[in-house]
Amino acid sequence: MKGRLFVVSGPSGSGKSTITKKVRDMLNIPLSISATSRKPRLGEVDGRDYYFLTKEEFEEKIKNNEFFEYALVHGNYYGTLEKVVEDSLNKGHNIILEIDVQGGIQAKKRKQDAVLIFCRTENEEVLEKRLRNRKTDSEEIIELRLKNAKKELSYEKEYDYVIVNKKLDDAIKQLIDIIKEESYEKA
């Protein structure tokens, strides 16, 4: 039996990374490690957090059709390697992709049975506060992320489920419930 692909997307600061990490740990579901052309943030490790590639390396992999999905986001490439996804699914493992909305739509086109889950905050003010409280990005990057968030929110209707992340524990429970329901439904 093949595994099921779950895609979690949402604006930067929506909590998608925190939620998916907790759920992966609780349900023992692997996260497909994405590749990116951006520089590592403090504490990030190549092969654990991302596969950090140069822009040229990333573009070479695009030319060679090595990506399941990819997109240019905030001025950097992000993508999921085809081999990583197919290997997990063929072994019968569910897998979670935590990717941007462009990649989410691509994933659904490639795998119609993929379950798309959109994560967002209750409003823009909360989103901005979360981005600023991270203290990892310059003002210019924060403004770019807020601008992009407006575009990303327009994709919400394309997703199968929406999680409004007001309280972390509730959002975690919602994602677990979705995964359990969709996994059993497919079985």
Side-chain angles (χ1 to χ4, degrees):
M1 172 155 66
K2 286 190 105 176
R4 192 86 189 255
L5 175 62
F6 295 91
V7 175
V8 178
S9 304
S12 293
S14 64
K16 66 187 175 293
S17 297
T18 303
I19 294 165
T20 55
K21 180 175 182 350
K22 298 256 188 210
V23 169
R24 283 188 352 261
D25 291 346
M26 292 167 81
L27 298 180
N28 197 27
I29 297 175
L31 173 74
S32 173
I33 299 171
S34 297
T36 184
S37 64
R38 79 160 167 76
K39 300 283 184 225
R41 292 182 183 140
L42 186 65
E44 288 182 327
V45 176
D46 184 56
R48 182 192 72 194
D49 299 293
Y50 284 95
Y51 296 114
F52 292 99
L53 307 173
T54 65
K55 183 179 180 197
E56 294 73 24
E57 289 170 330
F58 204 105
E59 289 172 343
E60 186 65 25
K61 289 187 180 301
I62 292 171
K63 276 191 233 169
N64 294 333
N65 294 316
E66 294 180 48
F67 285 104
F68 178 75
E69 60 77 30
Y70 71 91
L72 187 62
V73 182
H74 311 304
N76 293 296
Y77 284 113
Y78 291 84
T80 306
L81 294 164
E82 175 88 29
K83 183 175 178 7
V84 174
V85 173
E86 291 304 326
D87 286 353
S88 278
L89 294 176
N90 288 333
K91 289 177 184 170
H93 301 295
N94 286 338
I95 189 167
I96 297 176
L97 297 185
E98 180 197 318
I99 56 179
D100 79 296
V101 293
Q102 297 171 68
I105 301 305
Q106 286 179 41
K108 188 71 167 187
K109 286 179 182 169
R110 302 270 317 260
K111 295 249 182 246
Q112 281 86 27
D113 68 340
V115 179
L116 301 186
I117 304 146
F118 192 87
C119 184
R120 67 176 179 85
T121 58
E122 61 265 37
N123 58 48
E124 266 184 65
E125 291 77 29
V126 172
L127 183 68
E128 182 172 355
K129 183 178 177 186
R130 287 183 185 174
L131 287 173
R132 293 189 184 287
N133 287 343
R134 282 181 176 177
K135 300 189 186 328
T136 58
D137 296 315
S138 66
E139 182 62 27
E140 181 182 22
I141 296 293
I142 290 170
E143 291 300 323
L144 178 62
R145 289 182 186 277
L146 289 170
K147 180 182 168 199
N148 288 341
K150 289 179 181 161
K151 285 188 258 180
E152 291 169 327
L153 287 166
S154 70
Y155 284 88
E156 181 179 320
K157 64 187 175 303
E158 305 289 328
Y159 279 65
D160 302 309
Y161 296 92
V162 175
I163 295 174
V164 179
N165 183 13
K166 288 183 184 179
K167 189 173 172 199
L168 182 59
D169 288 342
D170 292 343
I172 290 167
K173 183 182 179 326
Q174 284 181 309
L175 182 54
I176 287 171
D177 290 346
I178 292 166
I179 290 170
K180 285 181 176 178
E181 179 181 325
E182 291 290 344
S183 294
Y184 294 142
E185 190 175 283
K186 176 120 186 183

